[in-house]
Amino acid sequence: MAKSDDCVHILQGLLVFGNVIIGMCGIALTAECIYFVSSPHGLYPLLKATENSDIYAAAWIGIFVGLALFALSILGIIGVIKASRSLLLVYIILMLITFAFEMASCITAATHQDSLTPELFLKQMLERYQEPANNSDNEVTKTWNELMLQNHCCGVLGPSDWQEYTSAFRLTHSDADYPWPRTCCVLDARGLPVNLDGCKLGVPGYYNSNGCYDAISGPVNTHAWGVAWFGFAILCWTFCVLLGTMFYWSGIEY
Amino acid sequence: HPHSRPRHPGARTMLPLLLLLLPAAHGIAQLRYRPALSREPPLEGLTTASTFVLDQPRCVFKDYGNADIWLVVALEQAVSTFNNTAGPGTPETAFQGFPDPVRAYMTLNATLANYPCPKPDGDITVLRVGSETSCAQDVMRPTCNGPLPGPGPYRVKFLALEGSVPVAETAWSVPIMLRTAKSPSSISTTGSGHSAGMIAITTILSILFAILLAGLVAMLVFWGSDSCGGSSTFSKPESVTVRRYNTHHVYDQPAARL
């Protein structure tokens, strides 16, 4: 008797502990997804232009799943302590629904992270970057200019992107005057090239020779990993807690 | 300085020599320099779609301080037919007529003062062929250094003229090809397929979800029946259930008496 009471108490304790962890992870997931959605890196226009902004959809789902996990963990703690069959049944069903949503979010984030290759950004940049920015591609051009200025980079793989491919930029800017956009030059405090001829020739030190892909893929990958893999870890833990709860539920006296 | 003409008036024996020397007197000094694309420092824009960058001919035209040094840019097939006496700034060598009907044009006029020798260390001494876009269509500027109209191949040489007389030339360069730009629609964005991580996440989560669903179904099916919970029934904290009470002694006593 005493032994089975101890078992009961241990199981209850474990389930309460598990639910507390789920609650805290839910809050963390919500915070992380809010951070990504309000991304300070300003890359959302680029992702939206590639028609590949599902990583943001995954983050939005993550926000609501996180809140749901927190609320359900409280319900779960109450249900375990009171050993109420009906409460725990509601808890289990709602947790399964939340599990399904979070699963969708993780898989979406992981799938779309794979599809963000350099070629995707290269094609989009060549087709949409236009200086000065006209109305339809304003966002893309402004985002690229800020990206190139802040990270001292040029193009996706390098300035030769503008040489190897024709582009919307090339239609309005001659190859001799603008082998690559002026934003690729090293600029002084007033925003003018330090040495325009040096930039046009491609003399090291007067132009940015790196590509911007690293500056794009770094934040996006962190973002996708944060949503996908943290969500995956939470789901594994939730799985164990749910199995324990089901076991506990089936043992509660009717 | 130009080659001096031998003067032997009235010396008949010298006539054959005179005749032999006359063609040589009209000859142009062949300098042993071959123009080439600039190698030092490495330039990103060495060749673009319409320009290329040559090294300046430093220390090449040392003896020709009075001459104008011109750059001749020709289509590869026009190299053998180029006439050194064709003057710069004429319709036959105007940039605006290049490549048809003009097959070679002359541009980038300079003198020896522009190419001091020796070259100071650390200076970048290059000539960018094709950098002047403002005069590309201006027929009043036939010696415009305009952007090249196609990918080439082109060959160049330097020609020194005194007045309108060519006095020295370098060798023709090797053929120079410019870049050709591809269309962005040729970039394939189909992606590299699914990574191992994504497959792992999908598989594992699907299995976990399936187990949970099975567990839920099992729970609901066996609702109410104690068959699974018989040996591990938990008691609720508020209610006290007495599991077993021993009634043996009540029945045993009468049996023992009998």
Side-chain angles (χ1 to χ4, degrees):
Chain A
M1 205 71 116
K3 191 172 176 206
S4 94
D5 264 350
D6 276 348
C7 282
V8 171
H9 287 314
I10 290 174
L11 185 59
Q12 277 183 329
L14 284 177
L15 287 179
V16 168
F17 172 70
N19 277 302
V20 165
I21 299 287
I22 289 180
M24 291 186 340
C25 287
I27 297 288
L29 184 67
T30 303
E32 184 197 30
C33 290
I34 289 181
Y35 173 71
F36 285 137
V37 167
S38 66
S39 170
H41 299 285
L43 293 171
Y44 182 63
L46 289 185
L47 290 175
K48 194 162 73 124
T50 64
E51 275 108 45
N52 233 326
S53 57
D54 284 350
I55 286 197
Y56 281 88
W60 275 105
I61 295 179
I63 293 178
F64 295 111
V65 163
L67 291 174
L69 283 177
F70 178 69
L72 286 177
S73 70
I74 295 179
L75 177 69
I77 292 175
I78 298 174
V80 163
I81 291 179
K82 292 174 80 172
S84 148
R85 270 197 158 201
S86 52
L87 267 185
L88 284 181
L89 186 62
V90 168
Y91 165 80
I92 288 173
I93 292 178
L94 287 180
M95 267 295 218
L96 278 179
I97 295 175
T98 311
F99 191 99
F101 272 101
E102 180 59 20
M103 201 167 100
S105 165
C106 286
I107 294 176
T108 307
T111 309
H112 282 93
Q113 182 190 358
D114 290 343
S115 70
L116 293 178
T117 55
E119 286 78 24
L120 190 66
F121 289 109
L122 180 62
K123 190 165 181 169
Q124 174 222 81
M125 179 187 81
L126 291 170
E127 287 173 356
R128 321 247 319 221
Y129 180 87
Q130 185 55 269
E131 183 72 66
N134 59 18
N135 287 334
S136 61
D137 292 319
N138 205 3
E139 283 301 316
V140 174
T141 306
K142 273 168 47 172
T143 309
W144 270 107
N145 280 337
E146 276 171 29
L147 197 61
M148 292 200 277
L149 283 173
Q150 281 167 13
N151 297 293
H152 304 294
C153 59
C154 182
V156 173
L157 302 170
S160 51
D161 290 344
W162 303 101
Q163 286 296 314
E164 280 179 43
Y165 298 96
T166 60
S167 53
F169 177 77
R170 184 59 66 225
L171 291 176
T172 49
H173 296 77
S174 72
D175 171 80
D177 279 332
Y178 293 89
W180 32 78
R182 290 285 184 262
T183 335
C184 291
C185 301
V186 173
L187 302 176
D188 60 16
R190 290 174 303 159
L192 299 172
V194 168
N195 185 331
L196 185 58
D197 285 325
C199 179
K200 286 202 246 181
L201 281 172
V203 179
Y206 294 108
Y207 76 109
N208 300 321
S209 53
N210 304 324
C212 295
Y213 180 64
D214 288 335
I216 299 173
S217 71
V220 170
N221 277 345
T222 315
H223 176 160
W225 275 72
V227 172
W229 289 97
F230 185 51
F232 178 71
I234 294 177
L235 286 182
C236 289
W237 180 263
T238 309
F239 169 76
C240 299
V241 170
L242 278 179
L243 272 188
T245 312
M246 286 183 189
F247 180 66
Y248 180 75
W249 183 92
S250 63
I252 295 176
E253 238 199 24
Y254 189 66
Chain B
H1 56 296
H3 290 273
S4 52
R5 276 177 204 252
R7 302 230 183 263
H8 299 280
R12 293 208 185 242
T13 50
M14 301 298 265
L15 194 57
L17 187 60
L18 184 62
L19 287 171
L20 269 175
L21 282 174
L22 271 176
H26 285 293
I28 302 170
Q30 302 287 328
L31 300 172
R32 295 164 55 112
Y33 173 78
R34 191 181 293 273
L37 292 175
S38 175
R39 302 253 298 268
E40 193 56 45
L43 297 174
E44 181 86 33
L46 187 66
T47 56
T48 69
S50 60
T51 68
F52 58 93
V53 182
L54 296 172
D55 270 328
Q56 287 180 1
R58 296 278 176 122
C59 307
V60 175
F61 291 94
K62 291 196 292 287
D63 303 326
Y64 302 95
N66 295 333
D68 291 326
I69 303 169
W70 290 86
L71 178 71
V72 180
V73 180
L75 296 173
E76 183 167 21
Q77 48 274 44
V79 162
S80 48
T81 58
F82 179 71
N83 188 348
N84 280 330
T85 56
T90 62
E92 290 77 31
T93 57
F95 167 77
Q96 286 76 16
F98 186 80
D100 184 54
V102 173
R103 315 258 287 166
Y105 68 97
M106 296 172 76
T107 184
L108 278 175
N109 182 15
T111 63
L112 192 59
N114 296 115
Y115 303 139
C117 182
K119 171 178 108 73
D121 272 341
D123 272 11
I124 299 175
T125 55
V126 295
L127 293 173
R128 189 163 182 244
V129 178
S131 62
E132 281 188 272
T133 49
S134 53
C135 57
Q137 309 294 327
D138 184 2
V139 291
M140 308 299 287
R141 295 272 319 273
T143 58
C144 180
N145 182 18
L148 294 156
Y154 303 102
R155 296 182 76 173
V156 300
K157 73 172 180 182
F158 290 97
L159 186 60
L161 299 175
E162 282 192 2
S164 57
V165 175
V167 294
E169 64 175 0
T170 64
W172 285 98
S173 67
V174 295
I176 297 172
M177 283 292 299
L178 300 183
R179 299 212 213 191
T180 314
K182 302 188 282 262
S183 163
S185 50
S186 65
I187 304 173
S188 93
T189 54
T190 47
S192 55
H194 300 296
S195 69
M198 176 260 172
I199 294 181
I201 286 186
T202 312
T203 319
I204 294 177
L205 286 182
S206 309
I207 293 175
L208 296 186
F209 191 61
I211 295 175
L212 286 178
L213 279 181
L216 179 69
V217 166
M219 268 170 50
L220 296 176
V221 162
F222 292 113
W223 181 318
S225 78
D226 283 335
S227 59
C228 271
S231 58
S232 57
T233 311
F234 307 131
S235 56
K236 294 197 178 194
E238 311 89 324
S239 63
V240 175
T241 6
V242 179
R243 298 252 186 162
R244 289 184 304 223
Y245 58 90
N246 200 342
T247 55
H248 244 344
H249 65 279
V250 174
Y251 298 114
D252 273 349
Q253 272 182 352
R257 266 198 212 134
L258 291 172

